Amino acid sequence: MKNKYSIFSLIKNAFSYHEYWQRAWRDPEPKKEYDAIIIGGGGHGLATAFYLAKKHNMKNIAVVEKSWIGGGNTGRNTTIIRSNYLWDASAGLYDHALKIWESLSQELNYNVMFSQRGVMNLAHNLQDVRDLKRRTHANRLNGIDAVWLNTEQVKKFCPIINTSPNIRYPVLGGTLQKRAGTARHDAVAWGYARGADEMGVDIIQNCEVKGIKRKGDSVEGIETTKGFIKSKKIGVVAAGHSSVIAKMVDLKLPLESKPLQALVSEPVKPIIDTVVMSNAVHAYVSQSDKGELVIGAGTDAYVSYTQRGSHDVVEGTLKAILELYPIFSRMKMLRQWGGIVDICPDASPIISKTHIKGLYFNCGWGTGGFKATPGSGDLFAHTIANDEPHKLNADFNINRFVSGDLVDEHGAAAVAH
Amino acid sequence: MLNYNSTIIEAKEYSDIKISEVEPTLKINLRGKNRDFVTKIGKELSIILPTDPNTSSGNKELNLLWLSPDEWLIYSNDKNNLETINSSEDKLFNDISKTKLGSVTNVTDHWIMINLKGPKIFDMLSAGCPFNFNKFKYSKGAVTQTLLNHVDVIIHNKDINNLNLFVRRSFSNHLWLWMNDSARFV
Amino acid sequence: MFLINCPYCGERDQSEFSAGGEAHIVRPKQPTELSDDQWAEYLFMRKNIKGVQFERWNHSHGCRKWFNMVRDTSNDKIHAIYKMGEKPPIK
Amino acid sequence: MSRNLRITNNKFIDQTSRISFKFDGKTLYGFKGDTLASALLANDIHLIGRSFKYHRPRGIMTCGSEEPNAIVQAGNDASMTEPNTRATEIELYEGLEASSQNCWPSVNFDIGAINNFFSPLIPAAFYYKTFMWPANFWKLYEYFIRKSAGLGKSPTQPDKDIYDHRYLHCDVLVVGGGISGIIAAKTAAKNNLNTVLIDDKNNLGGTTIFQQNECFKINNSYSNEWLKKEIETLNSIKNLTIKTRTTLAAYHSYNYLLARENLTDHLDLNERKDKIRQRLWKIRAKKVIIATGAMERPLIFNNNDRPGVILSYSIKKYIDYFGVKCGQKISLFTNNDSAYETAISLSNSGVSVNSVVDIRDRTNSLIVQQAEKLGIKIHWKSAVVNTNGYKKITSIEIMKLSDDDTTVVGKKIKQECDCLGISGGWTPRVHLFTQSGGKLKFRDEDNVFLPDKSELDQISIGSCNGDFELDSVVKNSVISTNKFLKVNNNDYENLKINSSNEINKKNIWLLPSNKPLGKTKPFLDFQNDSTANDVKLALREGFKSIEHVKRYTTTGMATDQGKLSNMHALGIIAETADVKMGELGTTTFRPPYTPLTFGAIVGRNVGEFFDITRRTPMHDWHAKHNAEFENVGQWKRAWYYPIENESIHEAVQRESKAARDSAGILDASTLGKIDIQGSDASEFLNRVYTNAWSKLEIGKCRYGLMLNEDGMVYDDGVTTRLGENHYIMTTTTGGAANVLGKLEDYLQTEWPELDVYLTSVTDHYATVSICGPNSKKIISKVIPDLNLSDKEFPHMSFRNALIDNIKCRVMRISFTGEHSYEINIQSSYGKSLWEKCFEAGKEFDITPYGTETMHLLRAEKGFIIAGQDTDGTMTPVDLQMDWIISKKKYDFIGKRSLYRSDTIRDDRKQLVGLLTDDPNVVLEEGAQIVLETKKQPIEMLGHVTSSYFSPNLNKSIALAVVKNGKKLKGQKMFVPMKNKTINVTITDTVFLDKENKRLNA
């Protein structure tokens, strides 16, 4: 194993002024051929490569990234991790991921700072209450820790929330998943990259895919800015750009790519020690290790690849934040940015084979993909390695849009997260 | 006897801004496309239907506001009694809707009409309205449909610094409070 | 916030409009004749173009009219706007 | 030791008006016009705070918004305190109380400083490499990490201040009131363009306004005097608006810009009451001229972060503008000419300048000559290799640079000083330009990124466009502005400009040291404590992209967003990785330019204005009669009417019983109402509803179900045929706007051939619904001349009527299963009609009921509520409403989707009734339903959608969706709750009056 990270390695390297740390990952030129190529060097793509190598013994694989790894939605999201989803299929998928999160730092020997500070979802009207209770019951029977809190319990768990009955949309209660929380987004990408690289995976940055070569109904390889790379298995994990890749093989996906905005405040001493989400007034907030309030805004209603969104989306979100936390009025927005999220009509992802042999898609994560990163990678690796889905992602096939058997999570995922 | 209830409490005056409700006034929504419709309306009301976007026409009694290529709002300048409102609605309905020329709908109580007067009214509006009033300000008779503090409104420029603003009844009380609040800070 | 030139009302702030997705997806005249795949194509499958895309917008807080827009989704630049039923001014 | 650090002859500070303020509890004095920073410096206070990671003492480094170190907690009132405010931007006011941040117990003695000792152990990103063992200790580690992170403290009480917004539309927006901004604004305004000029300072003039130097003259007068006259003329120009204390925060596409105006922060506390604190201007400009100037760069060398190390030009501003000496023995360290301006200003004000250390070979530009004339000592081709002192700099160490500038040579000169001015050249403020999507180009000669291509109608002028010499600034600003505005303004033709031009340019990103790099601390990002070593470490570990390095080392991610550090980070990366800087690209600058309070972004949309409140015409009556309200969308609906201290349950039981036993009255005004006219109205309804409409008689009503194209139930309601081509449709309260929008969409885009017009009349009508066995009697009292016989006025029909001469429509429809009427009357008379009906009903104890009772009553009859019993996954078939799907119709919205392989399955989840074995147990809405409780995992077959205790049946009833429910009637099932399991049986959905006898009772 390349130098293991630990307090001891830090001390050791301190004596040599940290001159001798090894590279976290190599910077290889693409080989002629790989057993599998993953398009997209985000968390999901790198995790896929990691598990292909680790669990399916496929070492000769490459991850191609058009820019720098972890620079897409992985590095732009608000890092919320939870598994309290409504439908069995979703609950299975996201809780599988959550279980991996719980030991990921050790698995990767890279501290991803998974912080199980709990995620609370607030209810502001009677239908919210019905929906959230329905979810809580479903979660309980699916073995997912989620409890219903009344208004007093909400206040107790997060005292800075304004639970006054006199606000426009009073807090009528909420659900709490204690195992849920946040993690350090960059660390996830870098940890998986380091781990995959160590098992021989080539991580090729600044390498843009220009085309996908087909022979009959199966794939042969990809045309890139670094030349043609041969492979019989191609897994696409391009998030907002999935449709762009699909177009290369005349494949249409049920996706729309929209700007999703987020922002952080200036750092302050700890003031909120959990994650609070609210669909009805549309706001969610947590505090990062650095002390910044991390706030997620919504998506715009139109397709855009600009990584910029409309100001009114940010205004709308902060308005909701101040409704729930009037004490934040004098806090300052430090930085605001956008990501491009690919959204499915049923707000659930696609982890699926396609009608083209050897071509696999992992997309449609919409506003909530980060939380699934380890599970998504694991299941996608399984799907690619065995050319058939794992039972946990079987329901997330492309064909559901033809049969009508959707996994409609709108109730559970109406707010960007 | 049924009595009339307004949503709005009382007229308010601020330095350079006066806000008051004008009620009850006849308001009728007109829809139609073809030329016959346009000419028919012209005859009925002896006012030419404005076909240029964001404009209006009218006479002493009535105003015709352009709302869209096939939609107009008629409203009267002065308070009307119910008879006038009903009779003019019925007449138009029979001559336009029944004859399949278009549609005629009484929206007298759908919209609340609020009059805004004073040199500072546009500053007050600019606190919550993305519309560019720079030209509108000086063009008498101009009409716009836009958002004011997230509420749909129709604004009719009656005269210099004298506007009639239409807001749906169920929103009117909220918007009224907002306008008064905003007027404080002009 | 875009500045959108409504074909009826003129230039207005984006907040007066609502987006209606990809344009020129005509509702099949005889849905019952379609296979599940063809129907799914109409219902769900989208071009989701990065670059010049044709889309529908509605001046929902103005004249309430729908119209078409040609917009480059890679930089949000609006190339053209035309009324429903009209031919796209550019290919 | 309050030495007098003020010079008296100063035009910008009013030394007659003394202001008292507190810093860290100590009372100090300053003058009107001071910033907190200038006042502190005047009091000889340099130690302001502690750094983020190592807790090193830090002082004031700049005089503006790029300040990384001197950030303080302003105010200590729990609701008004503000964290992380820059001392360099706070205008001094009477009563200001500021304190240091990120230190404990005090800035002078800070326990955290121990981190500095451990610094070798905690290089960039060390936290990714440790705290992993033992795994379950992470929670503990994290607690301490978080405790030590964060700078200031959030307020703990709601803000008392008010913020608001203003939209502004202009022809030309000029950002920045320096010399070029003023030239541009004047040019635009004088050419009849509606112009706005904004500047973030409290007065115009930029850096020129305090530039009184022989070398810089315009028409033979000092540049500052010339500019002063220019500014005076501005007031007389019409259609020019000037906004000071206004910071451009964000520049979005389509020339949409956000600017924050500070209205009260500079006022004494007692002058602020009832005033707007900050106003956010939402600006839409046809053209934008950016004239935001340039920022001075620091120099990167060992211990370049001590209090007393200040950017050279800031020292100049403090002396020339604020009349404050930053020290009395000042040394300067530079790679360019501007430090000599500082030296000259200082010695003109009688401050002794030890020497100027210049990394360049001897140069003799005018300004350098002038400095030499004043006898200022210069160390050519030398560098400062170290600074000494802890809480304040005490001395510097100077060495000669080797010929190739890679090392330092010769003997070390130690120089005592109490302040070191550093200047690493200038960085154009291109932030706004890039925010707007503009692309940058790199200029090698002086290592600056400059505006290149932009999609928008904008230009950059002055030093933010790379002009650094007075003559080029003025000349180019004039030319570009005229060209950009397509005007020909000749005010500035043949100006005579003297300017000292820099001859010799040289830059070293990381200065050589006499110690090995690992042993030094050359800071890049002062606030986040990232050093050149950290950047090099990141590169060694394979983080090549600038974004990677930035994230790995946190360089440029502090509250100054890297204004001071980005260029050097890039430079060092380029050098180390041996790439050209132009090719390396830059990190993206994201809005806002300087941090923006949430309050300003939200404006007045707080409290009562957080969201619109819609009220029905009868609202006041409900309120007066003690109603509790339910939020339905933006509507306030009467939920229930508790009498005395009834609980919701008691009230609802009473209301429900009364409605069935005698009479109940409900405010149904919130239902959406759409007037439909046109010769194709019937055909239109055929296409939007699942059932057929052509044959509906005039005067009759019919219930309709509307689907989405995906076949799922979307909305429902009763539609009445008023005439041959005239219908009125009702929608659900929540669905009203969407339904109208959707129908308009189909009409305009899919079916333009249909002659149909839709007009919303939701607000025009108030709707009073009266139900119960006595409803007929009550209506006959209210409308005596209306024939109410079942024959004349049967169920599902309507009649026009007059009440006190006011037109209204009476519908005989029922959502409760009772004999009932709905009266629609124009809203102005709604409240009055309601009261009239209430009066008429008194003898029958007519009972007002709210939405909760309405839900209960309809559940007894098994009527669905779209949105409660459906969730976007239910087809009409799933709802056991097959009867409403017309088989004859060729097509309707959503029809095709009903025949997909999944939607035709007959074992889908279907709506059923549910009875608890124990009639007193009321199920929880949302509870799950299972057939098998033993085996794990438990398969969930459905859930409870509606559940009530029915006072009329005297038992608990529920509606639910259950997999294959249609076939399971009579089936025993289980509802597993947290601590018990409830036994239930599947039943028919209609619990009461299956034969519908009550309708005509």
Side-chain angles (χ1 to χ4, degrees), chain D residues 3 24 109 204 592 762 817:
Chain D
R3 305 170 296 173
D24 282 335
F109 176 72
L204 300 176
T762 302

Side-chain angles (χ1 to χ4, degrees), chain B residues 40-60:
Chain B
K40 184 77 177 170
I41 292 292
K43 283 209 201 72
E44 289 279 330
L45 308 170
S46 53
I47 307 172
I48 297 146
L49 203 59
T51 46
D52 293 345
N54 313 317
T55 63
S56 67
S57 59
N59 58 25
K60 267 206 329 315

